[in-house]
Amino acid sequence: MVSRVIPVDPFDLVIFGGTGDLARRKILPGLFRRFVAGQMPDDAKIIGAARGDMDDAGYRALTEDAIREFGGRSVTDEALARFLERVHFTTVDAMGDEGWTTLADKLSEGRVRAFYFSVAPSLFGALAERLRNFGLADAASRIVVEKPFGHDLESARALNKVLEQHFAEDQIYRIDHYLGKETVQNLMAVRFGNMLFEPLWNAQYVDHIQITVAETVGVGGRGSYYDRSGAMRDMVQNHIMQLLCLIAMEPPARFEPDAVRDEKLKVIRALDPVPVQHIVRGQYSGSATQPSYGDDVENPRSRTESFIALRAHVSNWRWAGTPFYIRTGKRLRARTSEIAVVFKDAPHSIFGADAGRHRNVLVIRLQPNEGMTLDVTIKEPGPGGMRLMDAPLDLTFADAMSPDADEVPDAYERLIMDVIRGNQTLFMRGDEVEAAWAWTDPLIDEWEARGDVPQPYDIGAAGPEDALMLMHRDGRKWREIRG
């Protein structure tokens, strides 16, 4: 399997916050890999913008260091030298007038202009206003904004209102890197491109669905931000909500941005409120050698959750009665993100009680080792009767790729190229963001009003014991967390 590269039109990309961690780790290396792959035109221009005092040579040195560290196996001296010719820098004050006319002079006429807001959300409005006031943006320009898209429904509405004062909705690209993952897009291909699954993709045949996003790391250097957010705001409201939508949505009429996003919005609006007994919140404990969550955020009395598990229901004809079990947390047993669609038992087993209980499970792995497996029931090899076993049909993308093929593109690579193409299919719309907060806010408000304290769990565990009981009460169990 060899990926096909479709070049994009000439463009200028301005990265506000161009010296920050996201630019170094993801944006600049991703652009370099697209350049090496032949997708970026030779006359493309990449302009870093930040408050720091730096010239083109200094920014090219920063870019080179970032690419050598995070660029993967495609880095060669010759390719890097050609890429760096396209890299520039301008000192810009987001809250003032300094640098904007200089930046305007560096932009080319008659091509796509994209502006990546790799900065704090508090600067989004100021940047959008100055892009308009200084004439840098026109009707064909695009802006890319990173999460968090607000802290709650009220702030999300305010943020959307500020952006929409200066840009139309079809110019605003709210990026969620989970939607750029190869496996997430293959979920749509599997569902809507094959007759095999879609007839079974409903409450009649699906027993339940599990979504797990587990991390082995703690909050790291994000302690101050994370303690104001927690797992619900940081993961469930955005990343996991988008995964749930892609699983539960109806087939859109066309694979077009608004058609896809209309169906996702219907899913969010069909989510039932979650009763308190169907939510488990946890916080990792420390040990003699490892800090606790309270130590990491320098707040030993923190009531913010680093783990959450819940059972959700989508109240529509397709999914009525089918539970969606969601869990995510930090300092867990392994780093893994997966969706498991667990199908119901066969209505009658002809093989007797000794055959055991076997179920078909479609597992979509987002990380690590992106791919899919389908567990099917087969006869155990050998003599001695009809003994059954589960065997996976495995599609691991790294194994399926040709040895000479490029690496599986990073999510940011794909999404930035979609911005240049003007394709918003894999980006969130403003009403999606607000609908997700409208479902999330009451859950958070309820536990904050009660003063709930998250349950402790050991580092390297699978979360609090009550998370296991959430499934056991229903006669089900979580899949094992493993990398």
Side-chain angles (χ1 to χ4, degrees):
M1 181 173 68
V2 179
S3 59
R4 183 163 58 100
V5 174
I6 303 175
V8 299
D9 293 332
F11 65 88
D12 288 356
L13 173 64
V14 179
I15 308 170
F16 293 105
T19 58
D21 188 64
L22 179 63
R24 290 186 64 258
R25 288 178 174 271
K26 294 294 184 179
I27 300 173
L28 293 170
L31 289 167
F32 171 74
R33 286 190 290 268
R34 290 300 87 206
F35 175 75
V36 171
Q39 192 165 20
M40 185 188 302
D42 287 339
D43 58 350
K45 189 181 292 183
I46 299 158
I47 304 171
R51 291 186 64 183
D53 187 13
M54 186 180 292
D55 58 12
D56 286 357
Y59 193 59
R60 286 169 181 167
L62 180 149
T63 301
E64 179 177 356
D65 290 344
I67 290 172
R68 289 195 184 279
E69 184 174 358
F70 303 110
R73 65 171 183 251
S74 57
V75 180
T76 65
D77 291 343
E78 188 271 337
L80 188 52
R82 289 193 298 114
F83 177 78
L84 291 175
E85 293 174 1
R86 289 142 187 83
V87 175
H88 308 271
F89 185 83
T90 299
T91 299
V92 170
D93 182 0
M95 303 300 292
D97 296 340
E98 180 187 352
W100 290 95
T101 55
T102 303
L103 177 59
D105 291 341
K106 289 192 174 183
L107 295 176
S108 308
E109 295 293 336
R111 60 167 63 186
V112 173
R113 291 182 180 180
F115 303 93
Y116 200 123
F117 292 5
S118 181
V119 296
S122 59
L123 298 177
F124 288 176
L127 289 174
E129 180 182 8
R130 282 160 179 76
L131 286 174
R132 285 297 189 194
N133 291 347
F134 284 92
L136 276 73
D138 56 25
S141 299
R142 296 110 200 223
I143 60 171
V144 184
V145 293
E146 280 279 347
K147 81 175 188 78
F149 310 113
H151 185 76
D152 52 21
L153 177 58
E154 181 180 359
S155 59
R157 283 175 172 165
L159 180 56
N160 281 336
K161 185 176 180 180
V162 167
L163 295 177
E164 289 165 2
Q165 287 175 352
H166 306 286
F167 292 90
E169 178 62 39
D170 62 5
Q171 295 178 280
I172 303 171
Y173 290 71
R174 299 170 186 84
I175 194 167
D176 185 332
H177 70 272
Y178 265 56
L179 294 183
K181 290 182 178 293
E182 191 73 31
T183 318
V184 174
Q185 295 173 77
N186 258 302
L187 172 59
M188 288 187 281
V190 165
R191 282 198 59 191
F192 306 131
N194 296 281
M195 191 62 184
L196 177 63
F197 290 110
E198 187 59 22
L200 309 178
W201 210 267
N202 54 60
Q204 183 177 354
Y205 295 102
V206 175
D207 179 78
H208 71 279
I209 292 169
Q210 299 182 28
I211 305 176
T212 297
V213 180
E215 300 177 87
T216 56
V217 298
V219 298
R222 303 170 67 223
S224 177
Y225 158 76
Y226 196 93
D227 203 40
R228 296 192 303 270
S229 301
M232 189 69 166
R233 288 187 173 101
D234 188 55
M235 289 297 300
V236 176
Q237 184 273 338
N238 41 78
H239 297 324
I240 293 178
M241 180 70 73
Q242 290 297 307
L243 298 181
L244 188 152
C245 287
L246 294 178
I247 299 165
M249 64 187 275
E250 294 297 320
R254 294 168 298 280
F255 189 62
E256 296 176 354
D258 280 334
V260 171
R261 295 187 293 182
D262 285 345
E263 297 303 334
K264 290 197 294 177
L265 181 61
K266 292 176 186 177
V267 173
I268 301 173
R269 290 177 173 170
L271 282 169
D272 287 339
V274 181
V276 61
Q277 63 269 26
H278 294 164
I279 302 175
V280 178
R281 298 168 65 238
Q283 192 181 95
Y284 60 83
S285 304
S287 66
T289 58
Q290 294 176 303
S292 67
Y293 174 85
D295 295 331
D296 279 343
V297 301
E298 299 180 347
N299 182 8
R301 296 185 178 181
S302 173
R303 294 183 175 181
T304 301
E305 75 284 356
S306 62
F307 173 97
I308 190 165
L310 59 87
R311 186 178 80 181
H313 286 270
V314 180
S315 287
N316 59 22
W317 277 35
R318 181 183 289 265
W319 295 114
T322 300
F324 289 72
Y325 296 96
I326 294 168
R327 64 176 168 173
T328 182
K330 293 186 176 294
R331 289 290 194 182
L332 298 180
R333 184 171 297 150
R335 175 179 175 265
T336 185
S337 297
E338 70 169 34
I339 303 163
V341 181
V342 183
F343 292 92
K344 291 183 177 180
D345 294 336
H348 171 69
S349 175
I350 66 173
F351 303 109
D354 292 341
R357 184 182 185 185
H358 300 271
R359 278 183 167 173
N360 302 125
V361 182
L362 177 65
V363 180
I364 302 105
R365 299 190 308 275
L366 279 70
Q367 64 184 23
N369 303 322
E370 292 187 57
M372 299 186 187
T373 60
L374 175 63
D375 289 347
V376 295
T377 303
I378 64 171
K379 177 188 176 295
E380 185 177 313
M386 183 62 75
R387 298 189 306 274
L388 303 183
M389 61 178 288
D390 294 327
L393 302 177
D394 193 342
L395 173 60
T396 299
F397 295 147
D399 295 340
M401 296 286 283
S402 165
D404 298 325
D406 294 333
E407 300 162 280
V408 175
D410 178 78
Y412 278 93
E413 299 177 47
R414 177 175 292 102
L415 293 174
I416 292 173
M417 291 298 99
D418 278 354
V419 172
I420 304 305
R421 280 191 286 261
N423 185 345
Q424 290 185 305
T425 304
L426 299 176
F427 296 82
M428 288 183 284
R429 204 167 57 191
D431 51 3
E432 274 187 84
V433 174
E434 293 181 15
W437 279 120
W439 178 78
T440 305
D441 276 1
L443 310 183
I444 298 173
D445 292 344
E446 184 176 354
W447 74 56
E448 288 183 345
R450 290 195 311 268
D452 285 359
V453 178
Q455 299 173 25
Y457 62 92
D458 293 335
I459 292 174
E465 286 296 320
D466 278 8
L468 303 178
M469 293 305 300
L470 179 68
M471 294 280 276
H472 289 168
R473 285 196 300 266
D474 297 341
R476 302 181 176 99
K477 64 179 182 180
W478 291 104
R479 288 173 52 81
E480 183 181 350
I481 294 179
R482 55 187 177 188

